[in-house]
Amino acid sequence: EQASLRAREIYTFLNIPNDTSDHVTEAYREIGIEQLQEISAKLFHFYICDEIMAPYRRMLTIEQYKSDAYRCLYQEHFINGFLETCKKLFKTFIDNGLFKEEDPEILALHFYGPIYLLFQKYDRQPERVEEGERLIKEHIKLFATNYDKRIKRK
């Protein structure tokens, strides 16, 4: 519960919309790519380095193999919950003409897969978190270039 509260605090602090309504689409429409990159890098830093969230995430990573309850929590917080939120958000973006017509579930996998991999890579190396933040920013830029209709490919 403490970790969930801490996550809500950081999302509020970073002004991150947290549902998939048209209001959220409008909020993301107004966020530039650079701002989205910064938000994403700060979230990455939070999940790797925060004194509450990082140990919680690590504990769930280990305990998910020992307990169905922990497995469900891990899946909800770090896999299925995030993928489902992205899927709904990307479907809304597609429906509103912001994103290319693609399968929103696949878009969610394209978006979150590299981020999840970077969590795994830097989890035990918080001293290298800046390297991970740089990669997150580059990933966000490439993802937007590939799927956001408003961004022209070079």
Side-chain angles (χ1 to χ4, degrees), residues 43-146:
L43 278 176
F44 181 76
H45 187 276
F46 167 72
Y47 280 103
I48 294 292
C49 298
D50 184 76
E51 67 277 356
I52 295 171
M53 185 54 72
Y56 175 72
R57 186 179 45 75
R58 289 180 190 119
M59 183 269 305
L60 284 182
T61 300
I62 294 166
E63 296 298 324
Q64 70 175 320
Y65 299 103
K66 300 176 186 175
S67 158
D68 283 343
Y70 286 127
R71 180 188 51 78
C72 289
L73 279 173
Y74 182 81
Q75 291 289 318
E76 178 186 329
H77 288 287
F78 301 109
I79 307 285
N80 298 333
F82 193 82
L83 286 172
E84 190 60 31
T85 297
C86 286
K87 178 180 156 184
K88 288 177 184 175
L89 187 63
F90 295 152
K91 181 175 181 347
T92 304
F93 289 176
I94 292 165
D95 291 347
N96 284 288
L98 296 175
F99 270 26
K100 294 178 183 176
E101 296 277 337
E102 300 287 351
D103 182 333
E105 185 171 20
I106 299 302
L107 288 178
L109 290 169
H110 281 205
F111 181 75
Y112 189 53
I115 294 170
Y116 185 79
L117 183 62
L118 290 172
F119 279 139
Q120 301 310 306
K121 179 176 181 176
Y122 292 100
D123 187 38
R124 302 240 1 204
Q125 304 174 63
E127 69 280 359
R128 294 179 58 201
V129 73
E130 288 178 7
E131 180 182 320
E133 291 170 7
R134 180 188 60 76
L135 290 169
I136 291 282
K137 288 178 181 181
E138 288 301 315
H139 166 61
I140 298 298
K141 181 179 176 182
L142 184 59
F143 182 85
T145 300
N146 286 332

